[in-house]
Amino acid sequence: MYAYGVRRTKAEQDAATVEIGYALVSAAFAAAVLFGAVAGPALLFDLPDLLSEVLLRLGTAVAPVVFMARVISVLVRFRQTDQPSQPGRTNPDS
């Protein structure tokens, strides 16, 4: 696989696959927790109809935003740490 003219090793491809999986799973977990925190009271308790509707809509609107923000932040952080800090050196401490 070529990216910007550089061939990736199998280890780099595997690391990217693991990082994508981590980003998706952690984002789904964060979105589910947030949805449960916001819309949970509407599902568990007998609230007024208007308040229940507002909580459900708010949870439904915010959860995808949190999901995308988490995926993007994890993948951007992975991409930034993928490059050595100094050209020609593989260890940032060297």
Side-chain angles (χ1 to χ4, degrees):
M1 170 166 262
Y2 291 95
Y4 304 107
V6 177
R7 184 162 173 81
R8 291 187 178 172
T9 65
K10 180 67 173 156
E12 290 172 334
Q13 291 174 357
D14 291 345
T17 302
V18 168
E19 197 67 22
I20 290 168
Y22 169 73
L24 293 173
V25 170
S26 67
F29 179 76
V33 167
L34 183 97
F35 179 80
V38 173
L43 299 172
L44 294 175
F45 303 115
D46 188 24
L47 299 175
D49 290 339
L50 179 62
L51 181 58
S52 179
E53 183 71 22
V54 167
L55 289 176
L56 286 172
R57 287 182 187 256
L58 185 62
T60 305
V62 173
V65 173
V66 169
F67 180 86
M68 291 305 298
R70 177 67 182 162
V71 168
I72 291 169
S73 69
V74 169
L75 294 180
V76 165
R77 192 173 338 126
F78 173 71
R79 187 169 182 176
Q80 287 175 349
T81 60
D82 196 22
Q83 300 292 324
S85 62
Q86 298 174 348
R89 296 186 180 176
T90 57
N91 188 354
D93 296 331
S94 60

